[in-house]
Amino acid sequence: INRSTFYYHFLDKNDLIEWIFHEEITKFFTTAKQDIWLLNTQHLLEIFHDNQNFYYQALKITDFHNLRNIIFNITVKKANEYLDNYLSGKELDTESRSFITRFYAHAFTEMNIEYILSGAAEPPQRAALRYYDVCEPSLRLAIDNCLKRNSDKNTVFQYNN
């Protein structure tokens, strides 16, 4: 590839790296349906596993368009879609919705970063199952708790130990 062709498509090498991130990461997150979540996560971890050196080096990029921010932003979008699917018409207040999506996006992002930094030591299928076993049921519980709290606006909501 010659220089003029490269710059016709990309502003610089960081633009190319960002494009790679988006192409590889977003292609597996085309749907936020619950039954596809595990498979999408496994595919994402397989990408990180199979290209661990590239993604390890990519974590050194610290500008705004870095891998951490890209994973986070995609996860926020998909978490919102998951909420839409799960709520199926029920209303969740904006503050709760925002907190839930950001909380799980941060958790998912940081677990992926840890996976890359560990050298993708755990097989992708096993790691994806761990993510799923923790995230999916706790996400449902968080949504249900917020819905309950919303319906009991005039009472103080208490968690039972």
Side-chain angles (χ1 to χ4, degrees):
I1 183 170
N2 68 36
R3 175 173 259 166
S4 62
T5 302
F6 176 84
Y7 285 108
Y8 177 76
H9 295 285
F10 305 103
L11 299 173
D12 56 20
K13 69 179 181 179
N14 290 336
D15 192 36
L16 169 64
I17 291 169
E18 183 180 349
W19 179 81
I20 291 169
F21 293 163
H22 276 285
E23 286 298 304
E24 288 207 332
I25 294 170
T26 57
K27 72 180 174 185
F28 291 113
F29 287 92
T30 56
T31 180
K33 291 183 179 175
Q34 295 160 219
D35 54 340
I36 306 296
W37 191 93
L38 178 60
L39 186 59
N40 287 342
T41 302
Q42 182 178 330
H43 286 304
L44 178 64
L45 292 173
E46 287 169 355
I47 289 171
F48 294 153
H49 183 270
D50 295 345
N51 303 287
Q52 58 188 279
N53 187 48
F54 172 78
Y55 284 101
Y56 184 85
Q57 295 301 318
L59 287 174
K60 295 179 181 179
I61 298 171
T62 58
D63 71 353
F64 180 73
H65 300 288
N66 63 37
L67 179 59
R68 178 177 270 117
N69 286 340
I70 290 169
I71 294 171
F72 178 79
N73 291 332
I74 291 169
T75 306
V76 165
K77 180 181 177 188
K78 293 304 167 185
N80 272 308
E81 290 174 15
Y82 180 94
L83 283 172
D84 290 340
N85 288 334
Y86 184 75
L87 290 169
S88 63
K90 298 176 196 163
E91 285 295 319
L92 184 62
D93 67 284
T94 305
E95 186 178 307
S96 295
R97 183 184 190 100
S98 175
F99 179 81
I100 290 170
T101 56
R102 287 181 296 107
F103 183 89
Y104 282 93
H106 280 294
F108 186 78
T109 299
E110 292 308 314
M111 290 307 300
N112 281 294
I113 300 303
E114 183 178 305
Y115 184 77
I116 294 166
L117 292 176
S118 76
E122 188 171 32
Q125 184 177 14
R126 185 180 311 148
L129 281 169
R130 288 183 196 277
Y131 288 20
Y132 185 81
D133 288 346
V134 171
C135 291
E136 215 281 335
S138 66
L139 179 55
R140 286 173 175 247
L141 181 62
I143 295 166
D144 292 342
N145 285 342
C146 288
L147 288 169
K148 171 102 170 92
R149 188 176 309 111
N150 286 348
S151 68
D152 297 339
K153 287 183 181 181
N154 295 328
T155 61
V156 176
F157 190 80
Q158 297 179 349
Y159 289 97
N160 296 327
N161 291 348

